[in-house]
């Protein structure tokens, strides 16, 4: 009785073995396809990274010698951010390094450093935040902090190279602005040194916040058409510019 009961179970083994072989073959095909896809993407990744890094450097180069106001400045970090959206973190850092090296050859290491900090780093930061689909307020705030650090880095570097304290020049400009503001508001007082320094820092932060907001608007309108959309802006922004995403 025991032997006869065990006989019907034996034919199932070849079928199970066949299914396992088919699954292994399918897995091998998928792995081969993935390897072929990676091999096919590698040249495209390299070409696009080099092209966008060169585009970012060229925008900085043209703006230095043929300034067109704030138009080109808006696009300083966008090409490197696009590299992040298309090819990820490693490609974006490579684009930042390549753009810095190219500018170092074309314009010298000082101007190259002024581009890398903060605009090349800002491109990587914006690409990372846009890739993770974080809200605009988060990416703008992080970019504002980086841009503010970039201003202080620029003031420090140029002060070291020129032998003059450029922060004093910035403080004098802020003092003139605050005196004009107090005069128009009818405030009969002279701003203190501490208040002037706080005002200078506040103006730098506000300027960078506005700049990052405009960069987000430009990237939103441009990258959507390139097939690499960034997170949607707040509803009031869409209503303001009458844009349907």
């Amino acid at each position: 009785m025991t032997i006869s009961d065990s006989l019907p179970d034996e034919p199932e083994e070849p079928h199970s073995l066949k299914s396992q072989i088919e699954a292994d073959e399918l897995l091998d095909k998928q792995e081969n396809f993935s390897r072929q896809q990676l091999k096919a993407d590698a040249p495209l990744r390299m070409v696009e990274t080099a092209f966008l890094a060169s585009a970012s450097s060229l925008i900085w180069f043209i703006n230095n010698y043929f300034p067109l106001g704030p138009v080109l400045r808006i696009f300083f970090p966008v090409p490197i951010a696009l590299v992040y959206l298309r090819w990820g973190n490693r490609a974006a850092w490579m684009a930042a390094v390549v753009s810095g090296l190219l500018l170092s050859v074309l314009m010298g290491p000082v101007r190259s450093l002024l581009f890398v900090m903060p605009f090349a780093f800002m491109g990587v930061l914006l690409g990372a935040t846009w890739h993770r689909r974080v809200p605009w307020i988060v990416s703008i705030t992080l970019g504002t902090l980086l841009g503010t650090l970039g201003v202080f880095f620029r003031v420090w570097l140029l002060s070291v190279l020129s032998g003059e304290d450029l922060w004093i020049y910035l403080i004098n400009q802020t003092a003139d602005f605050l005196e004009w503001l107090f005069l128009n508001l009818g405030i009969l007082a002279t701003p203190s040194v501490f208040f002037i320094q706080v005002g200078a820092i506040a103006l730098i932060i506000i300027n960078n916040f506005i700049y990052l907001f405009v960069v987000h608007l430009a990237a939103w309108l441009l990258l959507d058409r390139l097939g690499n959309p960034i997170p949607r802006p707040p509803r009031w922004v869409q209503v303001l510019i009458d844009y349907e995403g």
Side-chain angles (χ1 to χ4, degrees), residues 62-69 72:
I62 293 174
N63 187 74
N64 270 270
Y65 290 103
F66 307 99
L68 299 176
L72 292 179

Side-chain angles (χ1 to χ4, degrees), residues 91-234:
W93 280 111
M94 288 297 297
V97 172
V98 169
S99 61
L101 292 175
L102 181 59
L103 285 174
S104 181
V105 173
L106 294 175
M107 306 176 67
V110 175
R111 293 187 179 181
S112 173
L113 286 175
L114 294 179
F115 170 77
V116 172
M117 179 63 187
F119 297 109
F121 291 159
M122 189 180 292
V124 178
L125 174 64
L126 293 179
T129 54
W130 293 342
H131 179 72
R132 289 167 175 78
R133 320 306 294 178
V134 302
W136 274 32
I137 187 61
V138 176
S139 56
I140 291 176
T141 302
L142 293 176
T144 299
L145 294 176
L146 181 59
T148 303
L149 291 177
V151 172
F152 288 117
F153 174 79
R154 174 176 297 195
V155 170
W156 169 79
L157 180 62
L158 295 179
S159 297
V160 170
L161 295 175
S162 64
E164 298 181 1
D165 190 357
L166 297 182
W167 178 250
I168 295 177
Y169 172 78
L170 183 61
I171 290 297
N172 291 333
Q173 295 295 317
T174 306
D176 293 340
F177 171 76
L178 290 177
E179 289 177 358
W180 172 83
L181 183 64
F182 280 23
L183 181 63
N184 283 272
L185 293 176
I187 301 175
L188 301 178
T190 302
S192 64
V193 176
F194 175 76
F195 187 79
I196 292 173
Q197 291 181 343
V198 172
I201 296 173
L203 288 175
I204 292 172
I205 294 174
I206 292 172
N207 179 67
N208 278 279
F209 189 89
I210 295 173
Y211 170 72
L212 264 297
F213 179 75
V214 176
V215 169
H216 276 65
L217 282 178
W220 175 41
L221 298 172
L222 175 64
L223 299 186
D224 267 11
R225 288 162 174 75
L226 297 178
N228 296 99
I230 69 172
R232 300 297 89 187

